Amino acid sequence: MKRAWLVAGLVSVSWGLLACEETTPTSGNGTLIPLTPQTVQLDLSFEEFAEAVTTYGGYGTPSELLEAVLAQDYEGVLDARVLVKYSEYPFAASVRDSTGTTRADSAFTFVGGRLVARFDTTGGNRPDGTVTVSAGALPQEFDPQTASWLVAVDTLGDLRPWGEAGAGPALALGQTEWDPATGDSIVLELDSATVALLGDTLQAGPGVRYEVLTPGVRMNLLSSDLRLYARPNIHLDTLVTLNARPIAQTFIYDPSPEPEQGGIRVGGAPSWRTVLTFDIPAELPGTPAVCQRVQCPIVITPGRLNNATLTLTTAQSEAAFQPSDSLFVDARAVLAPELLPKSPLGTSLVGTPGVPIGPDGFGEVAGQTVTIPVTTFVRALFDGSGEKVPDLALLTPLEPLSIGFGTFVGPGLPGAPRLRLILTVADTVEIS
């Protein structure tokens, strides 16, 4: 009797075990089996993830750069001149009298002065040899924020062209030679008549124009000073040095580059931005290799998306406007596409200081690939909120960054932008 009960119990347990083998803990009908989570990579062409690319210009002005550009027939194309505004002359000087007491003297006489200009001797903008630099007084008022090669002032309701293109005519103040191998500065001596002319805003205006006269040169002017020598009335055998400090600096250049249709451009002065309009399908077909591992089509959800990167390919920029130093590229969501080109932008997807690209990437060794992280941006396209921001702006972190700009291959060409998605998928598959 005891043995019969034991046998019955074993049979019951065996049937129970068999029943467990026929069911799965994740399904109610016993026809689905779970897959181990699989991480897959999808590589999308521009046509598969985007619908448009648009380039906008005009962000910032050359006056915002710390370095101003001088050029003369650079690459057979570019001319650039620097314009500097100085403050009014000092009206008093501190001088010690015969008793040793320091007093303010407003009856001094200017007897001369000098212009001192300092240039960049590092990086790609250093001239190979000696160059000639000249300076001239500007007899015309100009606006540093809006001045261009043809226009001195271009503000709301006020448009004034230069008397001559290129900030002319200018009253010659002198010229000198500069050899980068011997120092970073030039000095132009000014006589008393010239100092008086510069101080008379009715005749000469408040500015000085610098230009390089040596053909084939592009270089950077870092700073300039106007130093004045004065003989004080209370101590006639003494000379004092006063300063008219620079209060604004800009540069003007010709020609102004135009963007290529369908191309991608960032940087320059004023800066360019390029906006990519994304249009990623909610379901992606996947490749045969991917579909052997996970169920296709693949539905994109924020939880599945591990990483998204945009790949760009560098192209040659116009020779005269190729960067002379590394260019940094940033990516930001366009928050209000309907307000372009003046739409506000989201926070950086790249982080400070941006993705660096060496200057050769836009010249001799064009064709380099550049990877830009866009995970946060792509996730937001599928967050279910219904408030998609499909436009992504490519730009430099500082606008402007330099006169040089970066160019990338646009859609429809070898090296066009691509989007790589890395997803982790843990679907179930049905067995028949």
Side-chain angles (χ1 to χ4, degrees):
M1 186 69 178
K2 184 176 182 182
R3 179 178 296 180
W5 175 86
L6 180 59
V7 171
L10 290 174
V11 171
S12 175
V13 170
S14 298
W15 279 110
L17 290 174
L18 289 174
C20 288
E21 290 177 357
E22 293 295 328
T23 62
T24 67
T26 59
S27 66
N29 58 14
T31 61
L32 299 178
I33 62 173
L35 290 179
T36 301
Q38 297 287 324
T39 298
V40 296
Q41 176 177 307
L42 301 179
D43 190 21
L44 308 182
S45 67
F46 181 85
E47 291 73 19
E48 291 174 315
F49 78 86
E51 64 178 18
V53 56
T54 309
T55 299
Y56 300 94
Y59 297 95
T61 69
S63 64
E64 297 174 55
L65 287 174
L66 297 178
E67 299 177 345
V69 176
L70 291 169
Q72 177 67 30
D73 199 31
Y74 181 64
E75 295 290 346
V77 174
L78 179 65
D79 294 324
R81 296 170 178 175
V82 176
L83 313 181
V84 182
K85 271 191 173 183
Y86 297 97
S87 63
E88 294 183 358
Y89 287 0
F91 59 86
S94 297
V95 183
R96 287 186 180 181
D97 60 19
S98 57
T99 66
T101 302
T102 300
R103 295 168 51 191
D105 184 358
S106 58
F108 57 78
T109 302
F110 290 114
V111 296
R114 59 172 47 179
L115 286 168
V116 181
R118 187 168 65 89
F119 302 97
D120 185 7
T121 59
T122 64
N125 273 2
R126 170 177 168 157
D128 293 331
T130 301
V131 298
T132 303
V133 180
S134 73
L138 291 176
Q140 185 174 347
E141 177 69 37
F142 68 95
D143 175 32
Q145 296 291 324
T146 61
S148 65
W149 191 260
L150 298 176
V151 176
V153 180
D154 188 7
T155 58
L156 186 63
D158 189 1
L159 179 64
R160 283 176 269 167
W162 293 106
E164 295 177 0
L171 306 175
L173 298 176
Q175 65 183 51
T176 188
E177 305 296 309
W178 176 54
D179 182 358
T182 61
D184 65 356
S185 301
I186 62 166
V187 175
L188 286 173
E189 299 291 348
L190 308 175
D191 58 27
S192 59
T194 302
V195 169
L197 177 68
L198 281 173
D200 187 347
T201 57
L202 294 179
Q203 291 189 57
V208 171
R209 185 189 77 186
Y210 292 92
E211 61 180 316
V212 60
L213 303 180
T214 306
V217 171
R218 190 183 90 180
M219 61 191 204
N220 292 340
L221 187 150
L222 299 179
S223 64
S224 65
D225 295 298
L226 174 55
R227 300 174 185 173
L228 307 168
Y229 305 136
R231 190 179 304 281
N233 186 54
I234 62 176
H235 212 296
L236 295 178
D237 59 352
T238 299
L239 285 180
V240 295
T241 301
L242 304 173
N243 291 296
R245 61 183 180 84
I247 56 176
Q249 173 180 286
T250 189
F251 65 91
I252 58 174
Y253 61 89
D254 181 68
S256 296
E258 294 294 332
E260 298 180 3
Q261 290 294 326
I264 296 174
R265 177 180 293 180
V266 298
S271 280
W272 302 87
R273 295 177 185 175
T274 297
V275 175
L276 305 181
T277 302
F278 280 55
D279 187 19
I280 307 173
E283 296 183 356
L284 295 173
T287 63
V290 168
C291 294
Q292 288 181 356
R293 301 172 57 195
V294 298
Q295 185 175 339
C296 291
I298 301 173
V299 178
I300 300 179
T301 65
R304 288 181 169 183
L305 182 63
N306 296 332
N307 184 262
T309 53
L310 178 68
T311 300
L312 305 175
T313 304
T314 64
Q316 279 197 345
S317 297
E318 294 178 38
F321 295 95
Q322 289 178 5
S324 59
D325 205 344
S326 292
L327 185 80
F328 295 86
V329 178
D330 194 6
R332 297 170 179 255
V334 178
L335 300 183
E338 69 278 7
L339 298 180
L340 283 169
K342 297 183 178 181
S343 169
L345 303 180
T347 58
S348 172
L349 300 171
V350 176
T352 305
V355 177
I357 307 168
D360 289 346
F362 304 105
E364 297 178 357
V365 291
Q368 297 180 12
T369 57
V370 180
T371 301
I372 299 175
V374 293
T375 307
T376 304
F377 174 80
V378 175
R379 277 197 185 126
L381 298 178
F382 299 94
D383 65 2
S385 66
E387 298 179 0
K388 293 184 178 181
V389 181
D391 293 283
L392 180 75
L394 301 174
L395 64 160
T396 54
L398 297 176
E399 293 181 315
L401 185 64
S402 72
I403 191 175
F405 53 77
T407 305
F408 300 90
V409 178
L413 297 171
R418 300 190 70 86
L419 182 68
R420 185 184 68 176
L421 304 177
I422 297 179
L423 305 104
T424 297
V425 181
D427 289 328
T428 59
V429 297
E430 184 171 347
I431 58 175
S432 57

